[in-house]
Structure formats: C-alpha cells, structure tokens
C-alpha cells in the first residue's frame, strides 16, 4: 500500500491533507482516486490508514480509518557523521543508510575532503536535494520517520557533537586491535550512537589523535579497506542486527 509523509499540522481531526509533489504522484503516477486507501505517516513514528475523500489539483483530503505506531523504527538513534565524498556518492550513502534505519546524517568537511561548497546558496541547494533523497528513501522503505540531513560542519564541531553521545564509533583502516564487535556488547536500546566515516582519502593521523582525545572509539572493520560509501552502511547494518533492528 502506498505510503506518504505529512507534517503533523496537516492532521486535523479525522482528516489528513496532502500537498506538494505527492499530490501529483498520487493522481498522475499511481492514478489513485476517491475511496482508494493509502498509508500516511506524521514523521514522528505514527502511521495512519486513510481513505481518499477529495482530490484537487493542489490538495488531497483523506479520512483516517485507523492509526498505529510504526514498527519500522530501530531501537537506537544513530547519527552518521559523513566526510563529504565526491559526485553522487553522498546521495547513495543517504539513500542506503535511510533504508537501514539512520536517524540523522551530518555532512562533515575533513582535511581530506575534496568537495568544495562555494557559498551558502550552493550549500542550501545541496542540503535540500539530500533531504529529498532521504524523504523518498524513507517512503520506499516504509520508515516511520524521515532522517534529518544537517548542514555541513567542520571536523572539530563533529567530534564535539559526538563527545556527548552514548556510543561513538570511528572506523579507521590502521586500527587492528579494537573490535567493533566488542564495543557493541555494551550497546542497549534507547542509546544515542554516532558513527564517523571519513571521505575517500580517509582520516589523517592528526584527526584520529584528536578523536581519541575526545574519547571516540577508534575501531577496526576487519582486514579489508571499505570505500566511504560502503563503510557507514556496513557499520549501521551490524548495529541494527546486534540490537534487533533488523
């Protein structure tokens, strides 16, 4: 059954109102009309089964038939701090980690980040596009929430934010002793978990040193070196498996 997200304020009494691009998708692509049934989510983990009552060019009015808590959200809140990669890799990372249950994605400018964001307008356009990708991936994967895509921050701000989290992970290809499996043994439901992934060139030694000083757990993902677009999704999948989110 098709699923769509609305802002909570679009839910009024027994009715939910849909606006924007979803109107065209419902009427032109899916060719749904009056009396068809859809699923609508408020983005906060509540799903509604609703029947289409009125179809307009810019608005669709639906009637709530039933509601329930979404069962698709993971037992922990995970934030991915992602060193910004080149080309379409960031879009791929957003899409796949959204499917796997990420809560928030923070693009990070590290020492080896190649991508340059020229100005605030360019930054805003990128973030809006990334947020749209997260929205579409959340719909497709039946999420109960749409991950938030933050504006890019620098390395120092990233480790400062992560220092307050319950579990903070930095996979690093030169780490051979700290096992991710051992760290995950102390993870429990309801915790805030941060994952910091470097860009294509990885982290430099000074960044790793600063991360250790901020009490991030520098961990190994095994003997193989993973690409930046693979590493975050791999750690997230392991987390979800270990904690019952998959």
């Amino acid at each position: 059954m098709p699923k769509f997200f609305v802002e909570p304020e679009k839910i009024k009494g027994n009715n939910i109102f849909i606006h924007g691009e979803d109107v065209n998708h419902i009427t032109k692509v899916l060719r749904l009309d009056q009396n068809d049934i859809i699923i609508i989510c408020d983005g906060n983990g509540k799903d509604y089964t609703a029947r289409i009552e009125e179809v307009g060019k810019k608005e669709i009015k639906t009637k709530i038939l039933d509601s329930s808590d979404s069962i698709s959200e993971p037992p922990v809140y995970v934030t991915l701090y992602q060193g910004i990669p080149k080309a379409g890799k960031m879009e791929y990372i957003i899409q796949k980690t959204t499917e796997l249950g990420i809560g928030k994605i923070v693009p990070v400018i590290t020492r080896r980040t190649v991508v340059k964001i020229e100005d605030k307008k360019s930054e805003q356009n990128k973030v809006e596009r990334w947020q749209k990708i997260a929205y579409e991936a959340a719909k497709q994967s039946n999420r109960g929430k749409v991950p938030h895509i933050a504006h890019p921050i620098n390395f120092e701000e990233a480790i400062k934010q992560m220092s307050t989290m319950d579990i903070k992970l930095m996979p690093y290809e030169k780490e051979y002793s700290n096992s991710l499996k051992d760290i995950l043994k102390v993870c429990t439901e309801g915790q805030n978990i941060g994952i910091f992934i470097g860009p294509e060139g990885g982290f430099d030694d000074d960044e790793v040193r600063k991360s250790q000083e901020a009490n991030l757990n520098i961990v190994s993902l095994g003997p193989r070196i993973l690409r930046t677009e693979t590493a975050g999704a791999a750690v997230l999948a392991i987390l979800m498996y270990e904690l019952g989110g998959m």
Side-chain angles (χ1 to χ4, degrees), residues 3-231:
K3 184 172 187 175
F4 301 90
F5 287 88
V6 298
E7 295 85 2
E9 57 266 25
K10 302 297 183 182
I11 304 171
K12 301 176 182 179
N14 291 323
N15 300 113
I16 302 177
F17 298 87
I18 298 173
H19 299 90
E21 294 181 5
D22 284 337
V23 173
N24 183 69
H25 186 69
I26 290 170
T27 58
K28 305 298 183 183
V29 180
L30 299 177
R31 297 187 179 279
L32 301 179
D33 208 335
Q34 288 179 322
N35 296 319
D36 284 322
I37 308 298
I38 59 176
I39 301 296
I40 303 174
C41 183
D42 65 358
N44 293 318
K46 178 77 74 174
D47 288 338
Y48 297 87
T49 303
R51 182 177 64 240
I52 297 175
E53 286 197 328
E54 298 177 13
V55 177
K57 291 184 177 180
K58 296 183 178 180
E59 177 184 271
I60 292 176
K61 178 183 178 182
T62 70
K63 182 177 181 180
I64 297 172
L65 303 178
D66 192 19
S67 66
S68 61
D69 291 332
S70 174
I71 62 171
S72 60
E73 288 306 298
V76 290
Y77 188 86
V78 185
T79 301
L80 173 64
Y81 291 85
Q82 175 65 53
I84 304 174
K86 294 183 288 186
K89 292 179 181 179
M90 190 67 178
E91 297 178 6
Y92 177 87
I93 291 165
I94 292 169
Q95 183 185 69
K96 298 310 173 188
T97 56
T98 295
E99 292 174 19
L100 287 166
I102 201 71
K104 181 179 180 180
I105 299 174
V106 183
V108 184
I109 300 169
T110 68
R111 191 162 295 174
R112 293 176 177 167
T113 298
V114 176
V115 175
K116 303 298 181 184
I117 300 176
E118 302 299 333
D119 50 44
K120 287 295 181 181
K121 183 177 180 181
S122 176
E123 177 182 310
Q124 183 64 33
N125 289 340
K126 281 184 179 293
V127 172
E128 287 178 359
R129 174 163 177 74
W130 291 338
Q131 188 65 66
K132 184 176 180 180
I133 290 167
Y135 173 79
E136 294 298 333
K139 281 200 304 182
Q140 181 273 327
S141 56
N142 197 36
R143 290 285 303 271
K145 298 180 181 180
V146 179
H148 173 63
I149 312 300
H151 281 260
I153 60 176
N154 61 34
F155 175 85
E156 286 72 22
E157 180 60 28
I159 59 174
K160 180 180 178 181
Q161 289 184 17
M162 287 188 72
S163 66
T164 65
M165 295 181 171
D166 300 307
I167 304 290
K168 25 201 178 282
L169 304 169
M170 175 187 273
Y172 182 52
E173 66 272 15
K174 294 182 182 179
E175 174 55 58
Y176 306 107
S177 58
N178 288 340
S179 166
L180 175 61
K181 185 175 183 179
D182 291 337
I183 299 294
L184 295 185
K185 289 178 180 178
V186 302
C187 288
T188 58
E189 290 188 14
Q191 288 185 318
N192 285 311
I193 299 174
I195 303 170
F196 200 169
I197 303 295
E200 287 93 342
F203 297 109
D204 70 12
D205 292 341
D206 186 57
E207 288 173 331
V208 175
R209 179 185 59 78
K210 289 179 178 178
S211 299
Q212 289 174 316
E213 292 172 354
N215 294 319
L216 272 65
N217 295 294
I218 314 300
V219 297
S220 170
L221 297 182
R224 293 164 299 281
I225 297 177
L226 303 183
R227 292 178 180 270
T228 186
E229 65 267 33
T230 306

